[in-house]
Amino acid sequence: MTEQIPEVLRDLLTTRYPDDAERILQGFGAKRDTTLRVNRLKETADGLRSELENAGIPVRPVSWYADAFRIPSGQENAIRAMSAYTDGHLYLQSLSSMIPPVLLDPLPGEDILDMCAAPGGKTTQLASLSGGKSNITAVEKDRIRADRLRYNLQRQGATRVPVLQQDARKLDDHLRFDKILLDAPCSGSGTVLTSDPKTSRAFSAELVRNSARLQSELLRKAVRLVKPGGIIVYSTCSVLPEENERVILPFLEKGTLSVIARSEPDLSGHLLPCEVPGAFLVCPDAEYEGFFAVCLKKN
Ligand code: SAM
């Protein structure tokens, strides 16, 4: 199966991870459960669990996140047919993608910027985590994706979140935020599935280079917009150091940012070796998509 992975990606992984490339390649072939999280703006975790169980859908908890559940993968259509889904009481979302908002820890009253927000999985999670009480601004460059974001926010009841359809690199430099989520566009090297060639068709060395340039520019902007002492969570669904550690390291070396190492979520057994201590570099496997997330403080 792993022969379906683009050679350029295979080569990059083998060079970057001489000891773990095979593990990553195997992870691209893993079958994962469906995962979802409760939308606390509309439902409780206990309420959603009962509703799913009453519909005959078995539910398993996620150790590090009481709002998240695992569901056997064949049940996704049954969930989409439930009113809990159409009314926005839940959001189908990969476990890896739930990590950054948990790290950002949005609190009531805080001014929060989501720089690359569509389709809104993490924006709606931020709203849910803060009970709708943090002041979230969502930015998305692509018009069609921004419309999708507005639709998802509406459906999830996160109605007080303004959406700015613009290039986040061009946001007004006078804006200031307590916390920023930069879930950056990337090559998607962590979300490749051998069962679905679409997930790796666009992958190229050029895409990695272009993504890395854009990621650095977006992070530079985030550093400008966050208050001193404020928090930036940087994340991508790539496992390549070019798009992760090497984007962040210049800011760490200059002392502009430092890593806030978090003990939670406990992802032991699911991580790859990482050049930035305290960052989460998640290996694709039977539970997680490949992913990178790090919590940074502006000095
Ligand atoms: N955070 C989203 C979520 O959880 O649903 C996923 C974000 S996706 C990884 C990256 C998004 O960034 C894409 O929707 C893309 O259109 C958008 N994007 C790309 N370049 C951008 C830019 N310069 N400014 C703002 N958004 C951008």
Side-chain angles (χ1 to χ4, degrees):
M1 273 302 249
T2 61
E3 58 279 2
Q4 290 165 11
I5 292 161
E7 208 172 311
V8 55
L9 174 55
R10 183 193 291 275
D11 289 348
L12 279 170
L13 292 173
T14 312
T15 316
R16 304 291 179 261
Y17 300 103
D19 299 331
D20 291 283
E22 201 45 43
R23 181 176 156 216
I24 299 171
L25 292 168
Q26 291 304 324
F28 292 155
K31 291 222 175 1
R32 296 181 193 107
D33 283 347
T34 296
T35 50
L36 56 83
R37 66 173 169 78
V38 65
N39 174 17
R40 281 202 225 151
L41 300 181
K42 293 194 171 188
E43 183 53 286
T44 61
D46 285 346
L48 181 62
R49 172 192 273 273
S50 305
E51 200 170 333
L52 292 165
E53 284 173 348
N54 290 341
I57 298 173
V59 174
R60 285 193 299 130
V62 173
S63 62
W64 52 269
Y65 194 17
D67 287 353
F69 296 118
R70 299 170 209 271
I71 309 291
S73 58
Q75 298 283 351
E76 201 168 313
N77 285 342
I79 288 169
R80 286 182 195 276
M82 290 175 70
S83 60
Y85 176 79
T86 45
D87 295 345
H89 293 199
L90 63 88
Y91 197 98
L92 291 167
Q93 191 175 350
S94 78
L95 286 186
S96 294
S97 154
M98 296 181 201
I99 297 169
V102 169
L103 291 178
L104 198 70
D105 188 22
L107 299 176
E110 285 180 336
D111 294 321
I112 294 186
L113 174 66
D114 187 349
M115 278 180 92
C116 296
K122 298 180 192 69
T123 325
T124 55
Q125 188 183 354
L126 290 169
S128 172
L129 281 167
S130 67
K133 293 198 172 77
S134 50
N135 310 311
I136 304 170
T137 302
V139 180
E140 167 58 46
K141 185 176 167 199
D142 182 271
R143 187 177 57 79
I144 293 169
R145 290 177 67 86
D147 284 346
R148 185 75 204 171
L149 169 64
R150 287 191 189 94
Y151 171 82
N152 281 333
L153 286 167
Q154 184 70 31
R155 184 150 88 168
Q156 299 275 310
T159 46
R160 285 179 46 237
V161 178
V163 173
L164 308 179
Q165 192 234 308
Q166 71 167 95
D167 188 328
R169 292 171 295 180
K170 298 190 178 144
L171 283 166
D172 187 329
D173 272 337
H174 293 98
L175 296 168
R176 284 294 172 272
F177 297 91
D178 299 299
K179 294 178 176 172
I180 296 181
L181 174 60
L182 173 50
D183 184 39
C186 70
S187 69
S189 71
T191 53
V192 168
L193 290 173
T194 42
S195 58
D196 182 0
K198 275 204 303 294
T199 57
S200 59
R201 204 168 280 152
F203 188 89
S204 68
E206 194 189 358
L207 178 61
V208 174
R209 273 195 302 278
N210 290 343
S211 299
R213 195 176 319 119
L214 176 55
Q215 290 153 355
S216 294
E217 290 169 4
L218 286 164
L219 184 56
R220 201 171 312 131
K221 188 68 179 191
V223 169
R224 232 175 271 150
L225 299 185
V226 78
K227 293 176 186 172
I231 302 292
I232 299 171
V233 168
Y234 176 85
S235 58
T236 73
C237 56
S238 176
V239 290
L240 294 170
E242 289 86 332
E243 301 182 73
N244 299 324
E245 294 99 305
R246 291 181 205 161
V247 172
I248 294 157
L249 277 167
F251 295 90
L252 300 180
E253 283 160 5
K254 267 189 256 148
T256 322
L257 297 174
S258 5
V259 173
I260 302 188
R262 291 271 168 83
S263 52
E264 286 284 321
D266 179 4
L267 300 174
S268 38
H270 298 281
L271 297 177
L272 288 164
C274 180
E275 293 168 32
V276 172
F280 295 85
L281 178 53
V282 183
C283 186
D285 64 18
E287 290 183 55
Y288 292 89
E289 291 175 339
F291 204 79
F292 178 85
V294 64
C295 189
L296 302 158
K297 186 173 128 195
K298 178 169 168 177
N299 296 317

